[in-house]
Every structure is written in structure tokens, then in C-alpha cells.
Amino acid sequence: MLQKKESKKKLINGYVSNSKMVSKVRRKRITCFKAIKKTRLRSLIAYNQRNAAKFHDVRYYLSQQIDTRNQEYKLNLKRNLAVTHKKIITEIIENYKEYAKNYTNKAWLILNGIHKRNVVAALKNEAPPTHSDLMGLVSSLPMLLIAYKQVRKNKGAMTLAFHLSKDRKRNLSRYQISFLNKTFGMPDGMSVKLLNVTSDLIKSGRYPWGASRRIWLDKPGSKIKGTRPITIPPFMDRVVQTAIKMVLEAIYEPWFEKTNRSFGFRSNKGCHDAIFALTTPITKSSRFALEGDFSKAYDSVNKKLLLQFLGKRIKDSKFLNMMEARLKYQFFDTRTESYVNENFLGIPQGGTDSPYLFNIYLSEFDDYVINMTNEVCNKLNTKIKLWDSSKEARPLRKKIETKRNWLKKYSISANPTRDELENRYNKVKEIRLLRHEVLKLNSSDLGHQRLKLFYTRYADDWILLTNGPRLLLEKIKQKISKWAKSNLEMTLSQDKTLITDLLNEPAHFLGYEIKGNRYKKIEKIKMMVGRTTKTAKDMLKKVSGQLIHAYPDRQRLLSRFCMKGYCDKRGFPRELPFLTNFDAHTIISRYNSVIRGIFDYYAQFTRYGFYLNRWFYILKYSCLKTLAHKFKISVRKVLNQFKVNTIFGRTIGCKVNIKINGSTYTKNWNLLTYKEIIHNCSINSSHYMVVKDAFWTNEQGHQYRYPYKIGQSPSIKNYDFIEKINWVNVRTQAGLELPCSICGAMGSTEMHHIKHIRKESLTHLATPWKKQMYLRNRKQIPLCFKCHRMVHNVESNYSNDELISLVPVKKLYDNRIINIESQIKTGKFYGSKSLEQKGWTQT
């Protein structure tokens, strides 16, 4: 037996090559095995358990597991912490509701007017209008309030920047230095007073830009090992940058919508818009793709050129000076532990307005590529034949034939009169003019193919599809690289800028594989029978020029699945050992969230759903193996012990029973099946319909108005922008002007911010205000100056019982102060859900 196994290994590895010893059939099997072995995908990233644990939010699921067990404690705590509603707070809420109904700030009207001017100019193909007096918009209090609301939601909102260097501080006044010292620890301590001070500094042109902190993060998903620089600006700088971005969106968004080719880091746009654009009938019959990428894109932006591009549309010298000061940023490099001043090149990759400024910088590149490809197509598509078979030429050819037949029948006497000769001359002239019109038409005969070039960009990644030859793309690549080097001082990455044949190899773009179809489609021929069209039963024809389709990027997904621990290098599922400490329902919910994320990104924009079957299989059996590793049983026993029959087929699940005040509640956690997740994606297709309608509306020369998403700040492109932005503005302002939530002191309050409240268990929280914030799902709370300082003293010394006793253990002043935005919100009241709404049933 051992000799047979060794001989098989030698045959497979190719050591035995003698034709006498190996038959033809076995040689064919060996060659097939070698071919499969070469084409089989393997992960490019090795698995490391420490790195894999970073990608799984272990703290969050651990806190949710503890709170699921302690539901009774949670409900009783809600009752204990409940307080009576104060009349003062009720009156304040009612006043804010009435105020919001009749409130319209001039800033929103001006911003909407700027957007409308650009929309009208874009629709009429006019020159872009110029704008001035923009500093009043950026410095307005409503604009800064909305910017604060947007920035405080970010995950890194509590991340601190760095102190400004001594050389920069020498050029600042005492007032500016004190402002930097007050705002260094933001967002904690935010108040309306600080926003008013910020507004005054911006108006006077004396806003002090702080120093950023540059950190270096690993690139886990890339083939090449390296780090990515992320620059973290101060919180108040991020607020001002967001206000600047809102003004720039009103100016530039109509023109981005008109070109409809740039989709990265724009409001109401994303990766799916770019993928949908590549898979439309516009790209039909494309054969080759040019995948482009700029090397060190953000770091190679020329700031002088960027200011010149902004100066074409903006004629406000104060605004341009502010942008120049903003671009001359200073950061502290944590690797070299030294300050760096950026003067000529680079946009900080970490600012809230950096991606949009990068889009404005590359808008010149978009215009050049679109105009250049249109010129190439117009030149190469002018070669036509006289007697073509296009629909436009058919009526002209019929006229020519009728006039020729008239000439044949037209008889002239031996001595023709002048009228007869003029009549014949006019007919001949008409025939010649009609022939010239036919020559101007585009050809559609079988020997000529109409050239098409389609360009799409997302941030610094772009792709160009064509049905022309490879040589054409090579020449276009040379033109683009020369133009980008001379006009933008940017270079194309030679490793990532590739020309691929879509029939043999896929192009990789935004986590998708862009492929062409090698097989021609066969359709029935339609024939005219009388005045109706009917399909012929026996007559078929081949239809060339199939659509371009998008599929999940297999190599990328396999590498990331292996990096996160779901499978090995070959794609074979494996368990996650660091999840075995959790309960079964926590493990199932974790895998369900991953399955939903994969299918939400790929399912609606992939050609066929079964291309996701492999990745569902890996996640499913990884979950089974994790449960088997936890209970120390086999996968088959897990399938038998946890089996559940649902409408969508057989799966695994578990029940959890809890007792609350003598009554028992149960809830089921079931692992999603393939049919169920596909069914859910097909039902929730609103995002796909918005992407589809937006692309075709903009492609036809109109401006699409996007629906408003609940929970997000309104964009200038949304329906009823002014009405919704007013409500959001009033709710944000109300949260900053309410009394203290602990003692009820009226007057100026500050916002106390905390980090990752949902990653801590409710039972581990020691202070009453944190428990209230946890129950209300809030990360900020209004406090007066005294209570705010007292809270910070307690949080820095949790172990000291004396400091904890200083904070009043009494209940909060009024619970509505914490969740004030849901009180002023129009329509449905958004409060905490009951157990029945969360899926628990009483038994």
C-alpha cells in the first residue's frame, strides 16, 4: 500500500514521465490535475489569530451576551431610573417644536440657491457660474451645528490630535492659543459658546488650524505588505472642514451629476453606483479593460493647482485664503516623533473634506478622459460605406431609388425644352445631395463595428472599457499618463494599471470581478406578418455583444476570509477558537451579521446569485465547526442537536429562556439559510432601484433628487432639503441649550461625550448617568460646568469610593434631556423597544 501511494505521488508531481510506464489516460489525468492545481486560488494573506481577533468585535458581542442574560436587571433598572417629567422641560420641548415649524435660516436658502444656479447651468450646458461671499455660509452657526452633528457620529470622534508646535504658536495671539487649548479635548465639552467663538474667528479670518497626528495603519487586504498614513486633525478642525465640504457640494455636485462618471466619497453615492454603471447596456460588447490607479494619490496632490481649480468657480478671496491656510497643515508623525509641515504637496488622508477636495482635483482628469475618448470615437467611427444597412439610411435610399426610377421613365424629346432640362437637372442634383447625406451617416454594416469607450472612477481607482483592440488602449494609456504627469503632477502605478482581456481574465474593481461573456446568445427572429410582428418558430440567429457582468472578486474574498479566520489558504472552512467562550446564540448572531454584510454588498449587483454560494458555504461550516469546537462534538452531531426546520429549509438554531418577574420569555436564534438571505435581498431592493433610477436620470441629462435616509443628515440633493435640514438643525441646537441632566441647572451647558457605550455591559457601569446613556443608546449628555468636572473626576478614579460618593446617586433630572432629539422629531416617537418588539415571546 505504501509503495502504491508513493508511486501516485510521483505521478502527480510529474517525476514519472516514461511513456511506457504511464498510459495515455493516466497522462491526461495528470495534466488535468496540474492545470487545476495551477488555476486553484489560494489566499495571499497568512492567518494570524491575534490579527484575526481584531476584526471581530468581541467586546460588543460579549456585552450583548451579558445583557441578554440580565434582562430582568435591565428592565428593573429602567423602572428605578425613571423620573417624573418636569413642566419646564415639557414647555421647552413644545417651544422648540413650534419654533421648528416656522423656522427657516437664511443660510439654507442661500446654499439651496447656489445649488439651483449650478443645476440650471449644467442642464442648459452653460458655463459654470462663479460664487462669492462664501465665508458667511461657512461661519454661520446653523452650518457649524449640522457639521458638529455629522462629525460626532464617527467612530474616531473621540480620537485626539496633537498640540501645535512652538514655532506655529509664536504667530498666534493669546486669544487664538486659548481657543486651541479649550478645543483640544473636543468633542467633550462642546457648547454653543465655543461654536459662536469659532464662527467669529472664521469671519475675521483668524481661525487657528491645529496640529494633526499621523498614525500608520497596516494594509491587511493588500498583496504588498505596507502601512497607510492616516492623519487625525483636531475635532473642531473636522467640524469646520465639514462645513466647507457642504458649501463645495452645493457648487460642484450638479457638475459631477452631469458627467455621471465619478462616484467616490460623494453624498448619496457609493461603490454600487460605479458597478451598476459598468454593467449597463452602454458597455455592451466591451472586450478590453484598462484598470488605472495613481501611485500615492493623496500625497501627490499639488496644492497650488488645487487652489487654481477652486479659483475658477470661487471668487471669494477670504474663502481661498482660508483654504490655503487649511492646506498648509502641520502634523506630528508618531513614527519619527517629529513635526512635519506640508507646504507644496499632499492632502491629509483623514480630514472630512479631503476626499471631496481630491474629487475636485481629479475632475480635470475626468473631463480630459471623457473629451479625449469622445474625440477618438468620433474619428474612428466616421469610416462608413455608401450602401449601409442602418435604419437612418433606409428612407434616404428609398428616395434615391424612386428618383432614379423616375429618371428612367422620364422621356425627353429630341429637341428638349429648357424646362425639361431644368427638371432633369434638379432631380439629378437631389439624388447627389441624398447620397451625400447617406455618406455622413454612421455605418452599421456587418463589416464595421462602432467603437465605444466607457470611463468610470471611484476615488483614485478608475477603469476604461472598450470594444476596440488592445493597441488602442495602450496608446490611450500613454496619453493619459503623459497628461496626468504634466497637468496634475501625478503618476500612474505601473503595477496596478493593467490592460486585461475580459473574455480571458476578469478586471478587478471595488471588490468585484468585471467579466465579458465568451458565448453568443441565440434568439428567435421576429418577422412581420401583416401589420403584426410574430416570432418565427424555426429561425434562430446569434446575437453578439453581450453585456458586461459583475461577480464577487474571488481572490480578494478568499484572502480576507483566510485573514479573518473563516477558512484556510485553500478555502476550506475552519473554526474560530476565540469565539468558543460565547454562548451558542451569540456565535450564531455573529455569523448572521457577517452573512448579511456579504450578501448586502454583492447579491443585488451580481449577475447570478449562486456565485455567492461558496462564500455562504464557508461561513456556514465555519459556524458549525466553531459550535463543534465549543461543545467538543462533531459537525454531524451539531447538525442533529441544533437542527431547526424553517420555511426556507433546514438549518441550525437555539432557544434562550429568561425569567422576568416570575414569567418566562423565549427567543429563537437561527442561522440564516441561503434561500432566506437571497429572499431578504430580493425584497429589500430599494437601494438597487435608487441606484438604477439615479444613473439613468443623470445619463439622460436630468438631475436626480435622492430620497432622504432616516438617521442621516440631509444632503443638498435630497427632496425637501430645506424643511428637513431645519428640523435637524433645531434638534441639534436643542441638545446644546437644554438644562443639566443631573442637577437641572439652567444656563450654559456642555456636552459630555463618552466612547463605545455599547461595548460595555450594563452590569459593569458604576455611575447612574452612564446607565441612563446606555439604556437610551446615547454617547453624549448635557451637563453644567460643576457636574461635568465632577463626572470627569469620578471617571478617572473608578476605584475610589469617596469620589464616587461625591456624585449624586439620585436619579437624573429628566430622562427626556438625554434623548431630546427623539422628543422633537416629527412623526413616530423613537423610544426603547419592548421585549415583544425585540422578538421575545412569553410562554
Side-chain angles (χ1 to χ4, degrees):
M1 291 295 290
L2 292 173
Q3 292 179 356
K4 288 182 179 180
K5 288 183 179 179
E6 290 177 0
S7 62
K8 284 183 179 179
K9 286 182 180 179
K10 289 181 180 180
L11 285 172
I12 290 171
N13 293 327
Y15 291 114
V16 179
S17 59
N18 193 354
S19 60
K20 294 182 181 180
M21 296 176 62
V22 185
S23 63
K24 292 182 178 180
V25 177
R26 296 181 73 186
R27 266 184 280 162
K28 285 182 180 180
R29 289 177 181 173
I30 293 168
T31 53
C32 290
F33 182 83
K34 285 181 179 180
I36 292 170
K37 194 174 181 181
K38 287 180 181 179
T39 57
R40 185 179 294 166
L41 294 176
R42 289 180 178 271
S43 174
L44 301 175
I45 304 173
Y47 170 72
N48 188 352
Q49 187 169 338
R50 284 188 179 180
N51 294 334
K54 295 178 183 178
F55 295 101
H56 300 272
D57 206 349
V58 178
R59 285 180 56 196
Y60 171 76
Y61 285 96
L62 181 61
S63 64
Q64 295 299 309
Q65 176 179 297
I66 296 172
D67 292 339
T68 302
R69 296 173 183 173
N70 301 322
Q71 285 290 336
E72 185 175 6
Y73 170 75
K74 189 174 181 180
L75 292 175
N76 292 332
L77 185 63
K78 279 186 179 181
R79 297 190 190 97
N80 294 332
L81 293 176
V83 295
T84 57
H85 289 180
K86 307 294 183 181
K87 291 183 179 180
I88 299 175
I89 306 301
T90 305
E91 291 176 359
I92 291 173
I93 292 172
E94 293 299 327
N95 291 334
Y96 272 113
K97 285 183 179 180
E98 292 296 326
Y99 177 65
K101 289 179 181 178
N102 305 318
Y103 166 79
T104 50
N105 194 276
K106 291 182 180 180
W108 309 127
L109 296 175
I110 296 171
L111 193 70
N112 195 32
I114 291 172
H115 181 256
K116 282 186 177 180
R117 283 180 59 194
N118 285 275
V119 167
V120 172
L123 293 177
K124 293 183 178 180
N125 294 323
E126 298 176 352
T130 57
H131 303 279
S132 59
D133 297 333
L134 298 179
M135 289 295 288
L137 279 176
V138 178
S139 61
S140 63
L141 183 62
M143 189 80 74
L144 294 175
L145 281 170
I146 296 297
Y148 162 68
K149 179 179 174 59
Q150 292 183 15
V151 177
R152 76 183 185 188
K153 292 181 179 179
N154 299 337
K155 292 182 179 179
M158 296 288 292
T159 307
L160 296 178
F162 209 80
H163 293 284
L164 201 64
S165 63
K166 294 181 180 179
D167 297 336
R168 290 282 181 102
K169 282 185 177 180
R170 289 173 185 171
N171 300 325
L172 300 178
S173 63
R174 291 183 180 180
Y175 185 70
Q176 292 173 322
I177 294 172
S178 64
F179 174 79
L180 287 176
N181 294 332
K182 287 179 182 178
T183 59
F184 179 76
M186 290 293 178
D188 189 71
M190 177 63 74
S191 63
V192 179
K193 286 184 179 180
L194 281 175
L195 289 176
N196 285 323
V197 171
T198 306
S199 175
D200 295 336
L201 288 171
I202 295 173
K203 285 179 184 178
S204 60
R206 295 184 298 120
Y207 179 78
W209 295 95
S212 305
R213 184 164 60 93
R214 174 163 289 188
I215 58 175
W216 298 83
L217 301 178
D218 296 331
K219 296 181 180 180
S222 61
K223 302 177 185 178
I224 304 171
K225 292 183 179 179
T227 54
R228 178 183 288 109
I230 301 296
T231 307
I232 304 169
F235 182 83
M236 190 58 78
D237 287 4
R238 281 176 266 176
V239 172
V240 178
Q241 290 168 9
T242 306
I244 292 171
K245 179 187 173 184
M246 293 174 67
V247 175
L248 294 177
E249 281 181 346
I251 298 172
Y252 287 94
E253 273 302 307
W255 303 97
F256 284 127
E257 293 284 305
K258 182 184 177 182
T259 57
N260 204 26
R261 293 295 180 267
S262 174
F263 304 101
F265 298 105
R266 291 172 50 208
S267 59
N268 302 110
K269 292 293 182 182
C271 300
H272 291 149
D273 296 270
I275 296 301
F276 181 84
L278 292 174
T279 56
T280 53
I282 301 174
T283 61
K284 187 178 179 182
S285 71
S286 295
R287 174 70 185 271
F288 292 97
L290 174 61
E291 305 172 59
D293 188 19
F294 294 104
S295 61
K296 297 181 180 179
Y298 281 83
D299 295 336
S300 58
V301 172
N302 192 323
K303 297 178 182 179
K304 291 184 179 179
L305 288 176
L306 177 58
L307 290 172
Q308 290 178 9
F309 297 155
L310 291 173
K312 292 179 181 179
R313 306 275 185 93
I314 300 170
K315 300 302 179 181
D316 189 352
S317 59
K318 291 183 179 180
F319 183 84
L320 293 176
N321 292 334
M322 182 182 181
M323 292 302 300
E324 185 178 2
R326 178 256 178 278
L327 291 174
K328 290 182 179 179
Y329 65 98
Q330 184 188 68
F331 66 87
F332 180 82
D333 196 342
T334 56
R335 180 184 289 178
T336 59
E337 296 185 355
S338 60
Y339 285 96
V340 178
N341 296 321
E342 289 289 345
N343 295 320
F344 301 106
L345 295 176
I347 294 179
Q349 193 171 353
T352 56
D353 62 340
S354 297
Y356 205 81
L357 289 172
F358 185 75
N359 279 332
I360 295 172
Y361 189 76
L362 284 188
S363 62
E364 302 287 330
F365 177 78
D366 297 339
D367 296 338
Y368 167 74
V369 174
I370 292 170
N371 295 330
M372 183 262 295
T373 52
N374 289 335
E375 290 177 2
V376 170
C377 291
N378 292 333
K379 285 182 181 179
L380 298 179
N381 286 331
T382 53
K383 295 181 179 180
I384 59 173
K385 293 184 179 181
L386 177 61
W387 303 110
D388 61 359
S389 59
S390 64
K391 293 180 180 180
E392 297 176 357
R394 286 175 187 172
L396 298 176
R397 292 206 318 271
K398 285 183 180 180
K399 287 183 181 180
I400 293 171
E401 290 177 1
T402 54
K403 292 180 187 287
R404 280 181 176 176
N405 293 332
W406 182 86
L407 285 174
K408 289 179 182 179
K409 295 178 182 179
Y410 183 73
S411 59
I412 302 176
S413 59
N415 296 318
T417 62
R418 186 173 181 179
D419 294 336
E420 289 178 349
L421 291 174
E422 285 183 358
N423 198 3
R424 183 181 177 84
Y425 174 76
N426 290 332
K427 292 292 181 183
V428 173
K429 188 177 180 180
E430 287 178 2
I431 292 171
R432 288 180 178 176
L433 291 174
L434 289 172
R435 290 181 65 184
H436 282 294
E437 289 184 14
V438 174
L439 285 171
K440 293 177 183 178
L441 295 175
N442 293 321
S443 176
S444 64
D445 61 284
L446 299 175
H448 181 77
Q449 187 182 14
R450 185 172 176 80
L451 180 68
K452 292 187 293 185
L453 287 162
F454 188 82
Y455 163 78
T456 300
R457 180 177 65 85
Y458 188 92
D460 60 333
D461 297 331
W462 54 272
I463 189 168
L464 188 65
L465 300 180
T466 183
N467 57 351
R470 182 189 290 267
L471 181 62
L472 177 65
L473 281 185
E474 290 179 354
K475 291 183 177 180
I476 289 175
K477 178 183 175 181
Q478 293 175 0
K479 282 186 177 181
I480 289 174
S481 61
K482 288 181 181 178
W483 188 90
K485 186 68 177 176
S486 59
N487 294 277
L488 298 179
E489 298 184 4
M490 300 183 74
T491 57
L492 294 178
S493 176
Q494 298 299 325
D495 298 334
K496 297 180 181 180
T497 306
L498 307 170
I499 299 174
T500 56
D501 186 354
L502 297 179
L503 297 183
N504 297 324
E505 295 179 4
H508 303 277
F509 191 64
L510 303 178
Y512 282 85
E513 290 182 355
I514 311 300
K515 290 183 182 180
N517 197 348
R518 182 178 290 275
Y519 303 102
K520 293 183 178 180
K521 190 178 178 181
I522 298 176
E523 290 182 353
K524 290 182 179 180
I525 298 175
K526 291 184 178 180
M527 299 179 65
M528 290 292 295
V529 180
R531 294 185 179 180
T532 60
T533 57
K534 293 184 178 180
T535 57
K537 293 182 180 179
D538 300 327
M539 300 183 67
L540 301 174
K541 67 174 182 179
K542 290 182 178 180
V543 181
S544 61
Q546 297 298 304
L547 293 174
I548 299 298
H549 300 309
Y551 304 94
D553 193 341
R554 296 169 296 167
Q555 183 63 69
R556 182 187 179 93
L557 280 174
L558 182 61
S559 299
R560 290 184 177 270
F561 272 40
C562 178
M563 175 182 64
K564 294 180 181 180
Y566 297 118
C567 62
D568 59 5
K569 284 189 175 182
R570 297 174 298 172
F572 193 75
R574 58 168 298 168
E575 71 282 353
L576 292 176
F578 47 83
L579 293 182
T580 54
N581 295 327
F582 296 135
D583 295 338
H585 71 274
T586 307
I587 296 172
I588 291 173
S589 63
R590 169 61 187 160
Y591 276 93
N592 281 340
S593 63
V594 178
I595 292 170
R596 288 192 193 96
I598 292 292
F599 277 77
D600 286 344
Y601 187 73
Y602 286 107
Q604 296 181 10
F605 296 87
T606 302
R607 173 62 177 169
Y608 300 109
F610 60 80
Y611 279 90
L612 294 169
N613 203 354
R614 179 185 181 185
W615 315 111
F616 177 80
Y617 168 82
I618 292 173
L619 293 172
K620 175 184 175 181
Y621 276 88
S622 177
C623 178
L624 293 174
K625 288 190 173 184
T626 304
L627 291 172
H629 186 70
K630 173 180 175 59
F631 296 104
K632 297 181 181 180
I633 55 177
S634 63
V635 173
R636 181 175 293 180
K637 289 184 179 180
V638 171
L639 288 170
N640 292 331
Q641 291 181 13
F642 293 88
K643 69 177 179 179
V644 175
N645 293 322
T646 62
I647 304 172
F648 299 98
R650 181 179 172 181
T651 183
I652 62 168
C654 62
K655 284 185 179 182
V656 177
N657 298 323
I658 58 173
K659 288 186 177 182
I660 300 175
N661 300 326
S663 58
T664 305
Y665 289 84
T666 61
K667 185 178 179 181
N668 297 328
W669 274 270
N670 297 334
L671 186 66
L672 290 169
T673 61
Y674 182 78
K675 291 183 179 179
E676 183 179 0
I677 191 64
I678 289 291
H679 176 73
N680 294 338
C681 291
S682 62
I683 292 175
N684 302 324
S685 60
S686 59
H687 175 60
Y688 177 81
M689 296 306 298
V690 170
V691 170
K692 180 181 177 181
D693 295 341
F695 178 79
W696 288 117
T697 303
N698 295 329
E699 198 68 19
Q700 291 170 3
H702 305 288
Q703 292 280 333
Y704 184 75
R705 302 295 287 179
Y706 294 87
Y708 173 68
K709 293 182 180 179
I710 298 174
Q712 294 185 358
S713 296
S715 171
I716 192 69
K717 300 185 291 183
N718 292 131
Y719 284 109
D720 301 329
F721 166 72
I722 294 178
E723 180 183 351
K724 286 172 181 165
I725 199 72
N726 282 331
W727 275 101
V728 176
N729 186 19
V730 170
R731 295 201 307 264
T732 309
Q733 186 177 358
L736 291 169
E737 293 181 351
L738 283 173
C740 178
S741 59
I742 290 180
C743 65
M746 303 293 291
S748 59
T749 55
E750 301 174 349
M751 296 302 292
H752 172 60
H753 281 253
I754 57 176
K755 188 177 182 180
H756 298 303
I757 189 69
R758 280 295 184 184
K759 291 187 178 180
E760 298 181 17
S761 175
L762 182 61
T763 55
H764 295 162
L765 300 177
T767 51
W769 64 86
K770 269 202 170 183
K771 291 178 181 179
Q772 283 280 11
M773 294 172 76
Y774 186 93
L775 295 173
R776 295 286 181 175
N777 194 17
R778 299 289 293 178
K779 292 193 294 184
Q780 56 272 340
I781 182 173
L783 298 175
C784 64
F785 182 79
K786 291 182 179 179
C787 291
H788 197 196
R789 294 297 171 268
M790 198 182 301
V791 164
H792 273 287
N793 290 334
V794 173
E795 289 185 351
S796 61
N797 298 281
Y798 270 118
S799 59
N800 196 337
D801 296 332
E802 295 180 359
L803 284 173
I804 292 177
S805 63
L806 289 175
V807 180
V809 186
K810 65 178 183 179
K811 303 167 186 177
L812 297 181
Y813 185 71
D814 194 336
N815 288 336
R816 292 177 296 174
I817 297 177
I818 299 177
N819 202 13
I820 188 64
E821 295 188 4
S822 66
Q823 304 292 330
I824 302 177
K825 207 164 199 173
T826 56
K828 183 181 175 182
F829 174 74
Y830 293 87
S832 58
K833 294 182 180 179
S834 62
L835 288 175
E836 287 76 10
Q837 291 175 340
K838 293 180 180 179
W840 294 90
T841 57
Q842 187 174 0
T843 57

